[in-house]
Amino acid sequence: MNGSGPSRLVDPLEDPLPGVGTYEDFNTIDWVREKSKDRDRHREITNKSRQSTVALLHSISDAFSGWLLMLLVGLMSGALAGGIDISAHWMTDVKGGLCLRGFWFNHEHCCWLSNETTFQERDRCPQWQSWAELITGKSEGPFAYIVNYLMYIFWALMFSFLAVILVRAFAPYACGSGIPEIKTILSGFIIRGYLGKWTLIIKTITLVLAVSSGLSLGKEGPLVHVACCCANILCHLFTKYRKNEAKRREVLSAAAAVGVSVAFGAPIGGVLFSLEEVSYYFPLKTLWRSFFAALVAAFTLRSINPFGNSRLVLFYVEFHTPWHLVELAPFILLGIFGGLWGALFIKANIAWCRLRKTTCLGHYPVIEVLVVAALTALLSYPNSYTRMSGSELISELFNDCSLLDSFSHYYLTFLADRPAGPGLYTALWQLALALVFKMMITVITFGMKVPSGLFIPSMAVGAIAGRLLGVGMEQLAYYNHDAVIFKGWCSQGADCITPGLYAMVGAAACLGGVTRMTVSLVVIMFELTGGLEYIVPLMAATMTSKWVADAFGREGIYEAHIRLNGYPFLEPKEEFEHSSLAVDVMRPRRMDPTLAVLTQEGMTVGEVESTHFSGFPVVVSSESQRLVGFVLRRDLLISIDNARKRQDGIVSASQVVFTEHTPPLPPDAPPPLRLRCIMDLSPFTVTDHTPMDITVDIFRKLGLRQCLVTHNGRLLGIITKKDILKHMAQMANRDPDSILFN
Amino acid sequence: MNGSGPSRLVDPLEDPLPGVGTYEDFNTIDWVREKSKDRDRHREITNKSRQSTVALLHSISDAFSGWLLMLLVGLMSGALAGGIDISAHWMTDVKGGLCLRGFWFNHEHCCWLSNETTFQERDRCPQWQSWAELITGKSEGPFAYIVNYLMYIFWALMFSFLAVILVRAFAPYACGSGIPEIKTILSGFIIRGYLGKWTLIIKTITLVLAVSSGLSLGKEGPLVHVACCCANILCHLFTKYRKNEAKRREVLSAAAAVGVSVAFGAPIGGVLFSLEEVSYYFPLKTLWRSFFAALVAAFTLRSINPFGNSRLVLFYVEFHTPWHLVELAPFILLGIFGGLWGALFIKANIAWCRLRKTTCLGHYPVIEVLVVAALTALLSYPNSYTRMSGSELISELFNDCSLLDSFSHYYLTFLADRPAGPGLYTALWQLALALVFKMMITVITFGMKVPSGLFIPSMAVGAIAGRLLGVGMEQLAYYNHDAVIFKGWCSQGADCITPGLYAMVGAAACLGGVTRMTVSLVVIMFELTGGLEYIVPLMAATMTSKWVADAFGREGIYEAHIRLNGYPFLEPKEEFEHSSLAVDVMRPRRMDPTLAVLTQEGMTVGEVESTHFSGFPVVVSSESQRLVGFVLRRDLLISIDNARKRQDGIVSASQVVFTEHTPPLPPDAPPPLRLRCIMDLSPFTVTDHTPMDITVDIFRKLGLRQCLVTHNGRLLGIITKKDILKHMAQMANRDPDSILFN
């Protein structure tokens, strides 16, 4: 750091000064600088590799470290997901009873090992005892029911209490689904500890607890967070990724794909989810690596085999009956329902979360969780559809031949449409009640201080609605097979309606309405069925759902939560629609004092230290305002501090010099401090007449943190990412101060 | 065009001057300007929509026009692909004989209608007569064989002659695969007529002819070109897409997905192909629309049902036997073969094409095609594997239970590994000869003046190699089932090796080596099988193939052809690896005269007209060199021309004024010409110290055509896309003048 010789770029890797080029917490990174740093690093390694064999090996290992990292991320995430699945399955069963053969067996496994059960009654075996049997010795009767009911509520409270306490005590970042924050981090924001080891450990444990407690939440979103934590921790093994924020974000994008891949067993869908929904910067190299990691994770999970059926996918669907063009009408109806529900859910959930933020409700998160858990358990136990876990429910609804009691009467005749029996009416009533209950409880559950995903509850709502419509259509077809719309494709006694397909379409529609996913959602659903036949219904419903939901507000749930939390996130999908110019957005405003600048010579160390903005343009002279470069206050202070320690004679009166050659100084002056090497010699500039839509495009595509504004070659002002977000908030009639961070 | 009032942007839609803002042939478009134009247009429509119901309806129809266009593109491309499939199938069969029932029936259809054939002998029926039977009345014997042979060659020559003559006479752009040019067009280049109606018509007809002639080429690449032509022509129906080059390219990206979707019946793979391989600017909106169009096209094709089996995919694969980890070794071996073949093919093909360009060979394209066609027919007829069309061959090789004679002996015992019989040895020899023949002939075929795709020949090479290795492995397993590597998973008599899978993996490896596709290739193959089981072998082979091929040269065949043709294409995947600065690349160079600029006032119309660069920076004064804006010569000349016609008193001595307010002029001076409205007030600038890697990134991501270079706020030079490409060519020790266009 002797300052001699012009350095063409701020390059902290070659710079012995620690700290220069790093970022503070809750700050935005400069993508251009990070990528440039990585290219410099790569260039250096390539150049060195020609000199010696060791360097060549280093260069090769460096090139393959990305693949190795992806392999590790896939293995670790797959293993964790398997562990979570197994534990959650066991703990969900513990709410109902225990296995006498060994408490660590879950219900299915316990009875599977028993020889006394037939296939039909595989749920019932003497080794599995309900709590009533264990405590009172009775397995039937109202008393046993009440004991079971109370134990169910007890365990639900117990699990949710543990979950919220652990989150609060050890890792406050472990709550929620994590996807809004991950989107923000991927767009180039620093949140220290959000993807750290404590978050990983606590999120993994509390996710199991939260899912087992029976709350209306899923594990899919949090699994994305878990996978990203794995990736972030594993990044520390490789210098290339540890030291570069941009490179690390490439790995995190891939990890998001891994998360969805293990959640649904859909690797291609996962990659598209990462591309469409989560990632900000997704080069093609990342696409290929994400795909690799997603596959590794999926196969790791399959070899762990948590569902005990060697299947990769979460909801395996077996039907292959064709659908008829007429059925597009109910499918589109489901799309409309999904869109309406999505829009309503977002509005209600955001209102509720805002209430939590602004009123005293937010001060008692533990009590809130306990109350909601108690309410959920109390209301869900009597209804067999809500008593089972969300993913089990969806699985039952997707399949045409359900094992549920109420449905088994109904499916006595397998291959023909059939009249509704009394069992079916009960089932329909229970389903309708479950629908209302799920819709209400999910609104207040999502956003509590426990890990909570939204995929499963949304899909459950849609699957119930779809199944109801499907059964309705089936009855309609049964009683009116001679009507015009059914004529020709639905003869009497034929099995022409598949209610399971309706459930699937409904689930896709509701999930689409809430998250506004499109391609990735259809591909995930495609991977569940493995056939292209059902893509058209899924697509029609998803498209309708998105259009309907967009009519009520263009934000998906994740964007809404990002905005609620005031993160500096520049939405890559939304177009900037106003006709402002750069001059309208830049600071200083018309009335403000002029922009604080440094001159390339003539300022002293003391003057520089007394400034209080986070970055400064360096100009030739204050009169000409001709731009030379840009320097960050953080880098300045670190360098001055370091120079004071190491370099003799640096005092407050020393001149700070940004020029290539030191100007002549008076003989009695202290030695100058040369800082050209920490100055960014290629700051981005736009003219004051640049339309803001172009400026926003530049910020998004290049990942800028700030941009200088010039007029006829003179420096005029500065635009930061925060300025743009504030301007956008203002244009949308929102409070510009809702943008909290830098 | 009265010049009063400052216009903030060049907006040709509101501008009554036709021509301003358009491009000349073989020029690069300015993405920023095009996108900005579209946003302005959208903003205007949105604003107007609040005023009246008609405007509201217009706004809604405008919003949905994109979807309508996609629907039309899907329908038209699907229908055309169906027509091409049916015609090519028939014409391929015509080379062998005719149907007596009606000459328009193809072989399969002809015999299908016959009641006299059994399923086993469905190839043989009295209604289908070979040429020998038709001409001489004999169907057996050496004479009949020779007559058939000669007729086969005759038709091959006939079809290829027609194809090359039609291409040369009506649409020279219809030759080749079209993908290199489409990549260039999508990156923002103008080639007028390349996607026009004549190209479409001629390409569709000649594609059928070329495929039927038996040349070693496929229809997959050209189908992408055909789909893009459809899209381009349909764009003319909608103002939004007709008038905006950037918007039109979004549609073309989607059309590329449609092309692959109909070629393979793989809509998701098609979308990923467009994203990974072809497109330059691919916003998420396009992803969703491409997916929609690809699905529409796939289902249109299915309802036309050209293969007569209601299947969507080109190569339907039925096997579901698992593979063993040990088999990864041969799969990786296939990957290495694919990579080597890919690298070799590219080098050989480019050398051959260069020979064609530089020697007199290029002057006789018709003779060249005829010679190659004759050679192909002559050599391919005796071998039953080369006699059939490429896609039929691949289909046979992929399937485990082949219907081919030589294989039917071999597959008498279906479900067990079996010893090689004499029939198998013949088949293996024939396959080996076919492999050598295909490898040689494809090198000289690709690049001739007929429509020619590369997917099928590459896949055929890989499928043959894979099948050979698969049969080898099978024999190895049969005779050594007690060896260490087979022990435990391959007992005697068990069917543990699937040669069809080897063929599939080999096809993917070779295609990957030639095109360097990765994700999209694996997804296309996944869509063929519909199961995730075979993704790992496919991935291992594709990855190995890419790495091996990349070791010999990073360019795929399409990039190599782009470079051969000198198109100005800035590869989005490749990193700029040199440490040059903007000052090293910009013009004027150190020794050159200074940059030609216009001053914002003081220049006359005559002076402006006498300049000869294609664009000029406008500065405050030549002394200060402070940048005001940028103006294109084309726009300047059109405006001056127009002003001379409409505005009184504009003579050569009139002052050209770019300022907001007209400066005071001497009383006897002619009225000034105000041209601020055609000036781009927000030209992009970088500093002279900006590293070229960042500059290249800016060019790629924003799609710039030129960028100005400043030093300490003074204008210093200009960098165009062509300068960058020339610089890159120079750094790679290639001839910088190989970049031909602007």
Side-chain angles (χ1 to χ4, degrees), chain B residues 35-51:
Chain B
K35 279 187 269 175
S36 188
K37 247 164 70 177
D38 182 63
R39 275 190 291 251
D40 287 350
R41 194 182 152 282
H42 181 73
R43 205 175 289 134
E44 200 194 326
I45 288 177
T46 315
N47 288 343
K48 268 193 192 151
S49 73
R50 288 180 200 126
Q51 292 158 13

Side-chain angles (χ1 to χ4, degrees), chain B residues 63-379:
Chain B
F64 279 87
S65 65
W67 290 100
L68 182 61
L69 180 55
M70 287 296 149
L71 180 72
L72 295 176
V73 170
L75 288 173
M76 188 167 167
S77 310
L80 274 178
I84 290 172
D85 279 340
I86 292 170
S87 327
H89 200 166
W90 175 71
M91 283 175 69
T92 305
D93 287 350
V94 161
K95 282 193 299 177
L98 266 190
C99 187
L100 293 184
R101 193 184 299 276
F103 71 92
W104 56 88
F105 289 120
N106 67 34
H107 192 163
E108 198 181 336
H109 199 184
C110 185
C111 289
W112 188 257
L113 292 170
S114 161
N115 302 319
E116 296 151 48
T117 49
T118 58
F119 187 77
Q120 268 72 29
E121 290 215 315
R122 62 176 183 185
D123 289 9
R124 292 179 195 166
C125 62
Q127 279 79 14
W128 181 263
Q129 297 216 321
S130 69
W131 289 107
E133 279 176 280
L134 286 169
I135 297 168
T136 68
K138 283 183 196 163
S139 68
E140 301 284 325
F143 182 62
Y145 185 84
I146 289 170
V147 171
N148 278 333
Y149 199 168
L150 289 176
M151 283 307 287
Y152 183 87
I153 297 174
F154 165 74
W155 285 114
L157 286 173
M158 189 75 190
F159 292 158
S160 51
F161 178 72
L162 268 174
V164 70
I165 282 293
L166 281 174
V167 165
R168 278 187 69 76
F170 298 103
Y173 285 145
C175 70
S177 86
I179 295 183
E181 285 79 11
I182 288 169
K183 279 190 82 160
T184 315
I185 289 174
L186 285 177
S187 82
F189 192 60
I190 307 262
I191 309 180
R192 290 215 194 288
Y194 199 84
L195 300 173
K197 59 179 179 306
W198 277 108
T199 309
L200 174 64
I201 295 167
I202 297 300
K203 186 128 196 177
T204 309
I205 296 169
T206 54
L207 178 57
V208 173
L209 289 166
V211 168
S212 317
S213 75
L215 283 166
S216 178
L217 46 81
K219 63 177 173 48
E220 282 61 26
L223 271 179
V224 172
H225 188 181
V226 166
C228 284
C229 289
C230 292
N232 188 51
I233 291 165
L234 289 168
C235 273
H236 285 278
L237 299 177
F238 303 93
T239 331
K240 185 173 173 182
Y241 296 96
R242 184 177 62 238
K243 289 208 177 165
N244 196 297
E245 296 287 343
K247 291 300 277 182
R248 203 189 305 172
R249 274 162 182 75
E250 286 180 23
V251 180
L252 292 179
S253 288
V258 168
V260 173
S261 166
V262 290
F264 289 100
I268 302 172
V271 173
L272 287 173
F273 172 79
S274 174
L275 172 69
E276 187 189 2
E277 194 58 26
V278 188
S279 295
Y280 191 84
Y281 168 65
F282 202 91
L284 283 168
K285 211 165 60 184
T286 309
L287 189 74
W288 186 218
R289 288 191 178 172
S290 307
F291 193 45
F292 173 71
L295 261 182
V296 170
F299 278 86
T300 308
L301 182 63
R302 190 166 79 163
S303 58
I304 292 174
N305 197 6
F307 308 115
N309 54 7
S310 291
R311 274 179 201 141
L312 197 55
V313 297
L314 184 57
F315 311 115
Y316 184 73
V317 180
E318 266 177 299
F319 45 86
H320 284 286
T321 41
W323 55 277
H324 193 266
L325 217 61
V326 172
E327 289 185 274
L328 271 185
F331 293 149
I332 286 173
L333 216 64
L334 282 175
I336 295 174
F337 171 77
L340 288 175
W341 153 247
L344 187 78
F345 173 80
I346 293 171
K347 286 222 189 311
N349 182 255
I350 290 296
W352 183 256
C353 288
R354 186 158 284 139
L355 207 70
R356 188 185 288 134
K357 269 196 141 173
T358 50
T359 65
C360 59
L361 188 67
H363 302 314
Y364 310 105
V366 179
I367 295 175
E368 185 195 356
V369 169
L370 287 178
V371 169
V372 173
L375 200 69
T376 310
L378 201 68
L379 291 175

Side-chain angles (χ1 to χ4, degrees), chain B residues 619-699:
Chain B
V619 294
V620 174
S621 65
S622 3
E623 297 77 45
S624 75
Q625 290 285 336
R626 283 186 0 224
L627 184 69
V628 176
F630 190 83
V631 69
L632 288 171
R633 183 174 149 81
R634 183 180 160 88
D635 293 351
L636 261 182
L637 294 189
I638 292 173
S639 306
I640 291 176
D641 209 45
N642 186 63
R644 275 188 200 270
K645 280 187 204 136
R646 296 204 203 158
Q647 208 175 329
D648 277 342
I650 296 293
V651 292
S652 291
S654 298
Q655 244 200 60
V656 176
V657 175
F658 290 104
T659 48
E660 224 164 304
H661 306 287
T662 316
L665 293 170
D668 58 338
L673 175 60
R674 307 196 44 174
L675 288 180
R676 191 177 174 85
C677 57
I678 63 157
M679 180 169 66
D680 179 5
L681 285 167
S682 52
F684 282 86
T685 56
V686 293
T687 66
D688 54 344
H689 278 88
T690 310
M692 271 314 285
D693 49 6
I694 294 182
T695 316
V696 171
D697 234 37
I698 299 174
F699 266 82

Side-chain angles (χ1 to χ4, degrees), chain A residues 8 35 626 681 687 701 712, chain B residues 35 626 687 691 701 712:
Chain A
R8 61 165 261 252
K35 278 186 272 176
R626 286 191 354 229
L681 285 168
T687 65
K701 292 207 174 132
N712 288 3
Chain B
K35 279 187 269 175
R626 283 186 0 224
T687 66
K701 291 207 175 130
N712 288 3

